[in-house]
Amino acid sequence: QVQLVESGGGSVQAGGSLRLSCAGSGYVFGYFCMAWFRQAPGKEREGVAAINSLGDGTTYADSVKGRFTISRDNAKNRLYLEMNSLQPEDTAMYYCAADLTRRFVDSSPGLGQYEYTSFGQGTQVTVSS
């Protein structure tokens, strides 16, 4: 059974940093693209950052470029999101996602939620001004 479990969320002041982590299990973690999504109250879920299976291709939403960094450790079955210079508009539930339909993608993956087949339960990030 595929499981994605996020951790690392919390409350910070504007300008602060957080590091999110996602543990994947139930599948061969290193085969597939992964991504982070977020959803704020009253808004649609949006893709934040994505990474290919080897970690050498990444994609970022314009709103987080230069502030967020996605990475992965396939030996530990872990996905990370380093978030710096956090702003109140970054407040949302953050979800880890996996695209389990395509193996060994070597290009930079997309940020559309329909490209991903499995999502975790989420971890809350709250940024106060």
Side-chain angles (χ1 to χ4, degrees):
Q1 182 180 357
V2 173
Q3 280 197 314
L4 299 171
V5 180
E6 303 92 338
S7 61
S11 296
V12 296
Q13 290 192 326
S17 299
L18 282 173
R19 189 192 194 205
L20 305 184
S21 179
C22 171
S25 62
Y27 68 104
V28 183
F29 185 86
Y31 281 9
F32 303 101
C33 294
M34 302 286 294
W36 287 97
F37 287 77
R38 68 185 180 187
Q39 188 168 19
K43 294 188 177 181
E44 291 190 358
R45 185 179 293 182
E46 63 170 343
V48 174
I51 189 167
N52 66 2
S53 55
L54 291 181
D56 58 1
T58 56
T59 305
Y60 293 92
D62 288 343
S63 58
V64 306
K65 278 181 183 176
R67 300 189 299 124
F68 291 11
T69 302
I70 189 171
S71 62
R72 64 191 297 163
D73 185 335
N74 289 342
K76 296 181 178 179
N77 288 5
R78 293 273 180 165
L79 177 73
Y80 303 102
L81 185 68
E82 186 75 37
M83 304 186 296
N84 298 314
S85 302
L86 283 162
Q87 299 300 316
E89 52 265 35
D90 294 317
T91 295
M93 185 73 78
Y94 283 71
Y95 300 90
C96 170
D99 171 12
L100 302 181
T101 62
R102 299 177 300 157
R103 296 185 178 186
F104 304 120
V105 173
D106 58 5
S107 58
S108 296
L111 291 175
Q113 64 173 323
Y114 298 106
E115 300 179 48
Y116 296 85
T117 54
S118 296
F119 287 80
Q121 294 299 305
T123 185
Q124 178 67 38
V125 171
T126 302
V127 185
S128 57
S129 58

